[in-house]
Amino acid sequence: MVALGLSVLVVALAGAAGPYRQTREFREVVACDRGVGNCFGNEAGSVVGRRTYTTTSTTTSTDANGQTHTSTTTTTHYEVTWQRANGARQARDVSPSFYAKAKQGQPATLRLWHDEVVGVEVMGGEQWFLPKSGTTLGGWLYLAFFGLGVLLWGLLFGWWDGLFMLAFRTFAWMFMSFMPVDITTDALAYGLATGTDLVVQIAFALFFTGIAGALLFGSLGG
């Protein structure tokens, strides 16, 4: 277990090196654009579609008495589709405020980095996206976190008490990484949030990480 966890961790960190450098290069362009402006490429486009849709997720937890509890959460997503100058179309989830301002048929200014659309501006609003390098970096960081978990399990515990508990602890451990990895990749690409946004991010990270951590360490105590 120790050897496996260490191997996964090393491979993940090595894989993250390239996307990390690219994301830092993107951050330099962001800083330039905020400082002097017009550091990203611009392309005329248009909003050609918009829709909302919902997804449902189910979470199952087991308390100290062995009773299973299931909760269901429904999330509403806001999606906007734009068309580039060459006719190519792309759809992405956006914030509710941007969705309200992006009307179908409305002209849009597409902000480009290495021919990738990283921002969309319409009259009265804008939406920025994590570049592909940032998304790839996040994937490697999740893998590194998984490898760290395997390594710690081999060093500190290492017992076997069933497939269900293995899956449960893996889920709880990986759930702990969602907010930290998301905040880290966003900070590397666009800089650390400030003011109320930073407080909200930290509060969400502590809340969700705390819940997952409590479930994980509770299963170890049992």
Side-chain angles (χ1 to χ4, degrees):
M1 294 294 290
V2 172
L4 175 61
L6 184 60
S7 298
V8 173
L9 181 60
V10 170
V11 169
L13 292 178
Y20 172 79
R21 288 192 296 268
Q22 295 170 3
T23 303
R24 293 300 297 169
E25 292 173 2
F26 176 81
R27 177 71 181 91
E28 293 176 359
V29 181
V30 170
C32 171
D33 194 69
R34 290 173 177 173
V36 300
N38 296 320
C39 297
F40 285 102
N42 294 324
E43 180 181 298
S46 61
V47 177
V48 294
R50 58 199 301 273
R51 71 179 181 116
T52 60
Y53 65 96
T54 59
T55 57
T56 302
S57 60
T58 302
T59 302
T60 302
S61 60
T62 304
D63 60 23
N65 298 320
Q67 295 181 333
T68 300
H69 304 274
T70 301
S71 60
T72 301
T73 302
T74 301
T75 303
T76 300
H77 301 265
Y78 300 85
E79 182 185 271
V80 167
T81 302
W82 62 81
Q83 181 171 291
R84 298 189 58 175
N86 61 4
R89 296 189 175 191
Q90 184 178 10
R92 293 289 296 269
D93 283 359
V94 299
S95 66
S97 59
F98 180 80
Y99 181 85
K101 297 172 182 175
K103 305 301 183 182
Q104 188 161 345
Q106 183 179 10
T109 300
L110 309 180
R111 308 301 298 276
L112 308 178
W113 184 66
H114 296 321
D115 202 42
E116 175 188 355
V117 177
V118 293
V120 180
E121 297 179 358
V122 297
M123 183 66 68
E126 62 179 12
Q127 179 77 51
W128 291 88
F129 307 102
L130 196 65
K132 292 179 181 178
S133 61
T135 304
T136 303
L137 175 61
W140 284 115
L141 292 179
Y142 284 125
L143 183 61
F145 196 83
F146 173 76
L148 177 62
V150 175
L151 175 62
L152 292 176
W153 181 259
L155 287 173
L156 302 177
F157 306 102
W159 67 73
W160 171 262
D161 54 0
L163 183 62
F164 173 79
M165 293 308 300
L166 173 64
F168 177 81
R169 291 180 182 128
T170 300
F171 171 80
W173 174 256
M174 293 306 300
F175 193 86
M176 290 173 61
S177 70
F178 289 160
M179 287 301 297
V181 169
D182 183 65
I183 293 174
T184 299
T185 52
D186 280 345
L188 288 173
Y190 288 102
L192 190 64
T194 58
T196 304
D197 290 338
L198 178 60
V199 172
V200 171
Q201 285 187 353
I202 294 176
F204 271 100
L206 291 176
F207 178 73
F208 288 107
T209 303
I211 291 177
L215 292 174
L216 175 61
F217 291 110
S219 72
L220 296 176

